[in-house]
Structures are given as C-alpha cells and as structure tokens.
Amino acid sequence: QMRLQESGPGLVKSSETLSLTCTVSGGSITNGLYLWTWIRQPAGKGLEWLGLIYPTGVTHYNPSLNSRLTVSIDTSKNKFSLDLRSVTAGDTALYYCARASVFCGGDCYVFEYWGQGSLVSVSS
Amino acid sequence: SELTQDPAVSVALGQTVTITCQGDSLRNSYAAWYQQKPGQAPLLVSFGLNNRPSGIPDRFSGSKSGSTASLTITGAQADDEADYFCNSRDTSGHHVFFGGGTKLTVL
C-alpha cells in the first residue's frame, strides 16, 4: 500500500528557510510512471500546487513562488524534499506531499496518493 | 491559467448535483476531482472522462464540455458533504492548477 509521510519543523522564523521531507513507502520513488509533488493549503482556503519532481531529478515549479522553491529527490532513501526560502507569514499552511500520475494521453494530472499533511507556521 | 469553481452548492439528500470547474486550460486537458473532508487530506474521486479510482462509488462521474469540467453526484448521500476541488495542467504540461473549491452541503 503506497504511503507518503511529511516531516519537518512546525515553526519557521520569517525570512528563513522552510524544509520538509516526504518519505515514501509501499513503492519505489524511482518508478518512472510517477511524479512527486508538493501542495499546500492555508487554513480554511484552497489548494496551491507548489512544484513537482521526476525520478530523474527534473523539476517544475509554480511561477508564483519567484524562484524561492527547490524540490529535490533522494532515490537511495526513497524520499523527496522541499526547501522554501525567505518565508513570510503568507507561507503559513498545511503542506502536503503527493504522488502524481499522468493519464488521458498526457492530459490529466492526477494526485492519487497524499500524505496527511505537515502544518507549518511562520513566526515573526 | 485559472480554474473557477462556485464557492458553495447544496443538494437535497438523494438528489443529483453537478459541480463545475471552468478554465481555458481545460480546452486542452482534463480535470481531476478531489473530495476533502475537515481534517483530512484530499481524496481523488474522478479524473478525465468518467474515470474513478477503485473504491469510489459509481455515483461520482466526471465529464467535460469545452472549457468546463463537471463532477456529477447522482443520488447524493450525507457522507458526500465536503469540499470539492478540481485540478488540471497548463498547455506546457509542466504546471498544475487547482480550482478554488466548492463546498457541498447535503440537505
């Protein structure tokens, strides 16, 4: 059974770097059929896609993050990570990692498996 | 690209309800739909043209017309009360968007 688990500090100071790790179990992170993604959700609000990484290490990011984001992958540990630099109060949210698949001949991005989320607060 | 959803929709128990997701990116892609209940991670319920993950009841169905994707719940149950989000990809295929979400109330 595929399972994803986020881990990292729950509190980060403003202007510092938010770092989270997603540990994948029940399958290999090197499987070329899947993409590994980060999504966040401020309290009471909607979902925001942050970025994704292929097993090869190729990444794509949400342009709104203004180059503050780096997603990396450690295939030896079956984990992938997020580093968000220069955080502000606006980065306070529940951060999810998820496994994505592409279906419909490339026209569907589908998030099949999600972690339970890691709540991160940014303090001044 | 943006995806627009109605903020709130209500349906009487046992009736049919359609939740929509509108955006230009949907002209060249399909939507996936997620159900999110309070305190839980989103759950994939439909994607593309009426595809469902195993374990999702067949009362959930997805469709698309032009730039609008729809999730239809036929015979809504009390357990279907939740927030519903859509997502699609952009034309490059490298970026993903979510709709703002629709809060479904079952009366």
Side-chain angles (χ1 to χ4, degrees), chain A residues 58-103:
Chain A
V58 171
T59 54
H60 296 289
Y61 301 127
N62 187 327
S64 71
L65 294 172
N66 294 328
S67 302
R68 295 193 294 132
L69 178 65
T70 298
V71 177
S72 57
I73 194 166
D74 187 337
T75 55
S76 67
K77 296 181 179 178
N78 231 37
K79 297 180 178 180
F80 64 106
S81 300
L82 168 151
D83 287 310
L84 184 63
R85 295 172 290 280
S86 303
V87 297
T88 68
D91 295 310
T92 293
L94 186 60
Y95 285 74
Y96 292 105
C97 59
R99 190 190 85 175
S101 297
V102 180
F103 294 119

Side-chain angles (χ1 to χ4, degrees), chain B residues 47-85:
Chain B
F47 62 96
L49 294 179
N50 202 21
N51 298 292
R52 284 182 308 277
S54 61
I56 300 301
D58 61 6
R59 64 178 180 271
F60 290 90
S61 62
S63 62
K64 190 187 84 160
S65 177
S67 62
T68 300
S70 300
L71 175 71
T72 298
I73 307 173
T74 303
Q77 304 298 304
D79 189 52
D80 299 334
E81 187 163 288
D83 293 327
Y84 290 85
F85 295 93

Side-chain angles (χ1 to χ4, degrees), chain A residues 41 60-61 106-107 109-111, chain B residues 30 34 36 87 89 93 95:
Chain A
Q41 185 173 35
H60 296 289
Y61 301 127
D107 291 336
Y109 263 77
V110 177
F111 300 104
Chain B
Y30 295 95
Y34 307 85
Q36 187 179 34
N87 85 269
R89 61 148 179 82
H95 301 106

Side-chain angles (χ1 to χ4, degrees), chain B residues 10 19 26 83 87 93 101:
Chain B
S10 62
I19 299 169
L26 290 171
D83 293 327
N87 85 269

Side-chain angles (χ1 to χ4, degrees), chain A:
Chain A
Q1 173 72 6
M2 172 63 55
R3 186 178 178 194
L4 294 88
Q5 179 67 56
E6 305 89 351
S7 60
L11 188 64
V12 181
K13 292 183 178 179
S14 182
S15 80
E16 297 189 346
T17 297
L18 183 167
S19 296
L20 295 171
T21 296
C22 182
T23 301
V24 178
S25 58
S28 174
I29 204 169
T30 61
N31 190 323
L33 294 176
Y34 307 123
L35 315 173
W36 306 96
T37 67
W38 288 98
I39 295 159
R40 71 181 179 184
Q41 185 173 35
K45 297 189 177 181
L47 300 167
E48 180 184 23
W49 174 75
L50 302 181
L52 62 83
I53 189 165
Y54 290 77
T56 57
V58 171
T59 54
H60 296 289
Y61 301 127
N62 187 327
S64 71
L65 294 172
N66 294 328
S67 302
R68 295 193 294 132
L69 178 65
T70 298
V71 177
S72 57
I73 194 166
D74 187 337
T75 55
S76 67
K77 296 181 179 178
N78 231 37
K79 297 180 178 180
F80 64 106
S81 300
L82 168 151
D83 287 310
L84 184 63
R85 295 172 290 280
S86 303
V87 297
T88 68
D91 295 310
T92 293
L94 186 60
Y95 285 74
Y96 292 105
C97 59
R99 190 190 85 175
S101 297
V102 180
F103 294 119
C104 316
D107 291 336
C108 296
Y109 263 77
V110 177
F111 300 104
E112 303 164 284
Y113 292 97
W114 298 65
Q116 282 303 299
S118 178
L119 182 61
V120 179
S121 297
V122 177
S123 68
S124 55

